[in-house]
Amino acid sequence: MFDIHEIRSQFTILNQQVNGKPLVYLDNAATSQKPNSVLEVWTQYYTEINANVHRGIHTLSQLATEEMELSRRKIQKFINAKHDFEVIFTKGTTEGLNLIAYILTQKLKKDDEIIISYLEHHSNIVPWQMLCERTGAKLRVIPIDENGILQLDYLDQYLSEKTKVVSVNQVSNALGVVNPIEEIIAKTRKNSDAYIVIDGAQSAPHFTIDVQKMDCDFFVFSGHKMYAPMGTGILYGKQEILEDLPPFHGGGEMIATCSFDGTTYAGLPFKYEAGTPNVGGNIALGAAVDFIEKIGHSTIQNHENALLEYAQRQLLEIENLKVYGEKANRTGVVSFNLEGTGISSDVGMILDKMGIAVRTGHHCTQPIMDFFNIAGTVRASFAIYNTFEEIDLLVEGVKKAQRMLS
Ligand code: 7TS
């Protein structure tokens, strides 16, 4: 049985007052809080093990290496990768996407095409624009309708032998819309030889991920949005693709041999992990996977979906409140505005005075805001430890903000 009080007791940070009110943390799409089990593993690493990995004969170095490689295998299982060496440690989704866009440089030429969508976070837009600048390739963008749903007939139109990359998110961070990536991947495979990149920043914390079943070429996500420390993330890539592509950073640990006559590269995953990694964070990411798996994906999803439905139902009862993406299949996020009350940050500041943490603004998705012709939204986003009472406080707070601002 799922015991929310027991779950909350594992998050010391939640048990505090902010501005004289109990903290209501609803900014989980930006970053989740970390359970004590994750913090303990992280602290234990620094108090008992701290040593560099893959390079020492001494005991602590071997221990650090074993722990980090154990974590890699946990993550391999978590996303159902075929091999542990297809799991590359990064510092987050942004680094993963930049890495992919960089290593694909030689594979693109002038007038090739990269397909993304209107729903992308800036980190799944800008690295591709930079790749276009380097290569002369062109960006094509799948539009959305007024419910934030991707218009896939445009994907059908865009796909051709010129398409070299299709990169979309599984869940939109600004609207919470769940994208039909199975359909996107199937269409892409059928009509092009493009590399398929999935931004899983907002799906990995909520869904079961199976990269083999999905049949993507790359899947990237951030540890800090799924109960792990900041500065952690994963890039999954298919073995034959990672072996074929060049490295990203050059430096220690990514070489097989190095001399002034030339360098040969290490095998996977080390070819993509130059320099000292975030060992403590990477080990703690394994503990975050343990935390999620102990609760179970279906329990997490059921609870978060119930919170979302409860929040949306109550918010929609408020007059002049617009929920964006209301009619789409969504997860984890409700994004809204109080019409006629000025900017979203005013609502956010009033909520903050009541101890309620939400994000306001464009959420690093300016094209979505431009589409709806708004500067930003108020976004509440949920995690396993949120409660229905917290949603009641949010709704009360929004009503109060409306009274104060109108
Ligand atoms: N892609 C998506 C879909 C995201 O939601 C984010 C972060 C990123 C990429 C970048 O992840 P990072 O860990 O490298 O920063 N999204 C948010 C957000 O919605 N609020 O703050 C960060």
Side-chain angles (χ1 to χ4, degrees), residues 27 29-30 92-95 97 121 123 169 171-173 199 201-202 222 224-225 359 363 379:
D27 194 17
T93 307
T94 304
E95 186 180 52
L97 290 166
H121 186 278
S123 67
N169 63 41
V171 174
S172 148
N173 68 308
D199 172 353
Q202 298 294 342
S222 298
H224 71 93
K225 295 183 198 288
R359 186 170 172 186
H363 316 297
R379 182 188 71 178

Side-chain angles (χ1 to χ4, degrees), residues 301-320:
Q301 240 180 297
N302 289 342
H303 179 63
E304 290 171 348
N305 285 344
L307 291 171
L308 175 60
E309 273 173 41
Y310 185 70
Q312 174 159 302
R313 198 168 61 241
Q314 292 201 68
L315 287 169
L316 283 171
E317 282 170 11
I318 300 174
E319 218 178 310
N320 294 329

Side-chain angles (χ1 to χ4, degrees), residues 322 324 337 339 366-377:
K322 180 173 168 57
Y324 297 91
N337 270 331
E339 291 178 317
Q366 281 187 354
I368 302 180
M369 303 301 130
D370 291 345
F371 175 83
F372 288 112
N373 202 18
I374 52 179
T377 71

